Amino acid sequence: MKHTLTQQFYRVTEAAAVAGFKWLGRGDKNHADGAAVAAMRQQLNAMPIDGTIVIGEGEIDDAPMLYIGEKVGQSSGERIDIAVDPIEGTRMTALGQSNALSVMAVAEAGTLLHAPDMYMEKLIVGPAAKGTINLHLSLEENLKLISQALQKSLSDLTVSILDKPRHTPVIAALYKLGVRVFTFPDGDVSASLLTCFPDQPIDVMYGIGGAPEGVISAAAIRALGGDMHARLLTREQVKGTSAEHQQASREEVRRCQAMGLTIGQVLRLDDLAKSDNVLFSATGITDGDLLKGVEASESSITTHSLVIDGQRQTQQWIKTVNRLAL
C-alpha cells in the first residue's frame, strides 16, 4: 500500500473511537457501537480506495453494522481487504471500563481471511516462540513447547485468557499446571498484541473469542513477527445445545461452506493473513494495557493510536491533539 495512504488509516479508527467515547459510561453499548460504525464508514468512504469488508460485525441485513462484503471507499485506487471492529469492547465502553479500542486491519485484496462473524479459538505467541505452536496438540503440549522455546519453566509462563464461563475449565487446568494466568473481561485484540512486545508480561494468548477480532489480530501478529493458530467454531460448540444455538450454528456451517471454509479446521497465520503488506490501526477509547483512551477538555480532544505497518516493519505510536472550535 502507498505510504501516503497508510498515513490516513489511523484517522478511521480515531474517528470511531471519538464517536464511541461520546457514549462512555452511558450504559448503552448499542448506541456506542452504532456511533462508531457510522464514523468509521464515513471516513472509509471518503478515502481513495476500492475496499471490501471481508470480516466485520454483521451481514447486509444487520444495518448499521459494517457488513461482510460491503464496499467502501471511492471505488478508485488500490483494491484492499478490510477487517473491522469499530468498538472492541462495547460493554466496556458502556460501563466506562478499561481496554476499549477501535481497531482495523487492511491488506491487499484477497489476502485476509473472508469468514462469517462467529466464534474462533485462538492461540497466539510472540516472535521468540514462533513456529512452536500447533492447535492439533493439546493446550498443555503447546505450553510445554512454548516454555522450551522461551527457555522458561511452566511456572514462569504467563497466559492471558478471556474471563468467560466457557474458559472456567481451561483456567482451572492452567492453574493446575502452575502457569500464571491473567484474565480480562472482554476484547482479545489488545491481549493478543501484548504477546509481541518484550516489555509486556504476556507470553501466550489463548481462548475462544470473535472471528473478526481474530483476523484483525492476525494481521498485526504477522506484522510484528509473532505466530497464531486458530479455528472457527459454531455457537453450539461454544455455548451448548439449545434450539437458538442449533439454528445459528446451522447458518454458520452453511455460510462457511459457501466461503470454502471448514468448521474446526486449524488455520495457520498464513491462512488468516497471507501477505506482509498489512496495516493495523488501533485507537484507544478508554485507558488500557495497549493504549491510553480519549481525553476530552473544553478546548480539545486528544487521542492515542498505534499503527503497525507490516511492509515497512514500523510501529507508530501517535498522540493527536484535535483543537475544538470555540
Side-chain angles (χ1 to χ4, degrees), residues 258-306:
M259 295 178 182
L261 300 172
T262 302
I263 302 289
Q265 177 184 352
V266 173
L267 301 168
R268 300 177 183 273
L269 187 58
D270 283 345
D271 299 315
L272 299 162
K274 296 181 175 66
S275 171
D276 290 328
N277 191 9
V278 294
L279 182 77
F280 168 88
S281 179
T283 302
I285 299 172
T286 59
D287 289 349
D289 298 311
L290 187 67
L291 288 162
K292 291 185 66 175
V294 176
E295 301 168 287
S297 71
E298 291 183 359
S299 60
S300 67
I301 293 178
T302 301
T303 61
H304 303 268
S305 302
L306 168 61

Side-chain angles (χ1 to χ4, degrees), residues 91-92 97 99 119 159-172 174-175 181-188 191 205-209 238:
R91 191 176 68 87
M92 287 125 70
Q97 297 176 339
N99 276 314
Y119 282 107
V159 178
S160 64
I161 186 169
L162 277 166
D163 187 10
K164 300 290 185 183
R166 60 181 174 268
H167 291 145
T168 299
V170 179
I171 293 170
L174 291 172
Y175 286 142
V181 181
F182 287 1
T183 64
F184 52 98
D186 286 295
D188 55 24
M205 202 293 292
Y206 174 77
I208 298 170
V238 175

Side-chain angles (χ1 to χ4, degrees), residues 17 26 37 76 106 145 163 175 187 189 224 254 276 283 296 303 315:
R26 304 290 184 186
V37 167
S76 62
V106 180
L145 291 170
D163 187 10
Y175 286 142
V189 173
L224 291 169
R254 184 194 68 78
D276 290 328
T283 302
T303 61
Q315 301 168 32

Side-chain angles (χ1 to χ4, degrees), residues 18-33 35 89-97 285-286 296:
V18 171
F21 175 79
K22 294 176 182 178
W23 289 90
L24 182 67
R26 304 290 184 186
D28 191 334
K29 67 178 186 178
N30 292 330
H31 274 93
D33 201 37
T90 53
R91 191 176 68 87
M92 287 125 70
T93 301
L95 298 178
Q97 297 176 339
I285 299 172
T286 59

Side-chain angles (χ1 to χ4, degrees), residues 123-125 132-134 137-150 152-154 157-159 170 173-175 177 179-181 203-206:
L123 178 61
I124 299 172
V125 294
T132 64
I133 58 175
N134 185 352
L137 303 176
S138 69
L139 180 58
E140 180 179 351
E141 290 173 298
N142 273 286
L143 293 178
K144 288 178 179 178
L145 291 170
I146 294 165
S147 66
Q148 292 171 11
L150 298 180
K152 290 184 175 184
S153 65
L154 279 176
L157 205 66
T158 302
V159 178
V170 179
L174 291 172
Y175 286 142
L177 285 171
V179 173
R180 184 183 293 112
V181 181
D203 298 307
V204 185
M205 202 293 292
Y206 174 77

Side-chain angles (χ1 to χ4, degrees), residues 207-218:
I208 298 170
E213 293 85 355
V215 175
I216 293 168
S217 295

Side-chain angles (χ1 to χ4, degrees), residues 24-175:
L24 182 67
R26 304 290 184 186
D28 191 334
K29 67 178 186 178
N30 292 330
H31 274 93
D33 201 37
V37 167
M40 183 172 274
R41 178 180 279 126
Q42 182 178 13
Q43 288 289 322
L44 285 170
N45 283 334
M47 296 183 68
I49 57 171
D50 183 0
T52 302
I53 306 298
V54 296
I55 189 163
E57 292 188 302
E59 308 307 317
I60 192 167
D61 295 329
D62 294 336
M65 302 303 182
L66 281 156
Y67 61 83
I68 298 168
E70 180 175 354
K71 294 290 187 179
V72 293
Q74 298 176 347
S75 299
S76 62
E78 294 185 69
R79 293 180 59 247
I80 58 173
D81 287 348
I82 304 173
V84 297
D85 194 352
I87 297 184
E88 203 224 2
T90 53
R91 191 176 68 87
M92 287 125 70
T93 301
L95 298 178
Q97 297 176 339
S98 60
N99 276 314
L101 301 168
S102 175
V103 292
M104 176 179 70
V106 180
E108 298 168 303
T111 61
L112 292 182
L113 181 73
H114 186 187
D117 180 5
M118 58 189 296
Y119 282 107
M120 178 183 277
E121 182 184 13
K122 310 162 195 179
L123 178 61
I124 299 172
V125 294
K130 184 173 183 177
T132 64
I133 58 175
N134 185 352
L135 265 185
H136 290 292
L137 303 176
S138 69
L139 180 58
E140 180 179 351
E141 290 173 298
N142 273 286
L143 293 178
K144 288 178 179 178
L145 291 170
I146 294 165
S147 66
Q148 292 171 11
L150 298 180
Q151 298 182 344
K152 290 184 175 184
S153 65
L154 279 176
S155 62
D156 289 328
L157 205 66
T158 302
V159 178
S160 64
I161 186 169
L162 277 166
D163 187 10
K164 300 290 185 183
R166 60 181 174 268
H167 291 145
T168 299
V170 179
I171 293 170
L174 291 172
Y175 286 142

